[in-house]
Structures are given as C-alpha cells and as structure tokens.
Amino acid sequence: MSEGKMDRVFVERLNMHIDEMKWLYNELYNDDNAFTYFCHMLYEYYSARDKSLKDWDTARIEEPEWYVGNEMLGMQMYVDCFADTLQGVRDHLDYIQECGV
C-alpha cells in the first residue's frame, strides 16, 4: 500500500497487522484494489478521530493487555431476544443497571 502523506502513527500501527488483515480480507474478497481502498478508508476514519481518542489508542498500545483487567465490564445483547425492540430495552434499563453495566 502506498503510504504517501499518511500519518506516521497510523502507518506504524497498520504495518503491525497489515499482512494478516490483507490475508483475511482477500480470503473474503480476493481483490487487492478493494483492500487498498479499504486501507485508505481506514485512514480517513483514523484522521477524523478526536485527539482524545487517538491518545486513548496510544495508551492501549502501551498496555497491550488492557482488555483483560477487572476495571471494566461489557455486555452484548441481542435486542430481539432480550426485549424485542429498543424501546423494550429502555423498559429494562433498571435490570441492566442492576447487572452493573
């Protein structure tokens, strides 16, 4: 991929994973031009990120196992199985809060 005028931090982070990303992408689409477009699209989204989010990204790089700590809790829910609609989820916010999410 042509790096051109891309931000150095973005290029360094992309290069850490580009081989695997390209392999996975091409397993699905087998289109190098589309992958190049995908990478440019990633750069556009990266460029639009707020500085505070980029700082958060940097902190996560410095602490690569940030996600295995006990400081946060996440929850995945399928709305249709949990409460049928988004309004139904709103009706159950007390339960979600009770779960500590």
Side-chain angles (χ1 to χ4, degrees), residues 26-41:
N26 281 321
E27 282 289 306
L28 291 172
Y29 304 110
N30 196 27
D31 186 339
D32 285 335
N33 290 331
F35 180 74
T36 299
Y37 175 76
F38 171 71
C39 290
H40 284 282
M41 210 169 47

Side-chain angles (χ1 to χ4, degrees), residues 12-85:
E12 287 175 2
R13 291 184 64 201
L14 179 65
N15 285 339
M16 289 170 44
H17 305 286
I18 196 163
D19 291 336
E20 184 176 10
M21 287 172 53
K22 187 171 186 175
W23 175 75
L24 291 169
Y25 192 92
N26 281 321
E27 282 289 306
L28 291 172
Y29 304 110
N30 196 27
D31 186 339
D32 285 335
N33 290 331
F35 180 74
T36 299
Y37 175 76
F38 171 71
C39 290
H40 284 282
M41 210 169 47
L42 288 177
Y43 183 68
E44 292 299 318
Y45 285 113
Y46 167 82
S47 297
R49 283 173 70 82
D50 185 83
K51 182 184 178 325
S52 64
L53 294 175
K54 289 179 182 178
D55 291 343
W56 198 13
D57 295 340
T58 300
R60 286 182 169 178
I61 290 170
E62 293 170 0
E63 182 63 43
E65 294 192 8
W66 60 269
Y67 57 90
V68 297
N70 294 324
E71 294 81 31
M72 69 175 92
L73 172 68
M75 179 180 200
Q76 177 179 341
M77 107 177 31
Y78 294 94
V79 171
D80 57 335
C81 294
F82 178 74
D84 293 325
T85 66

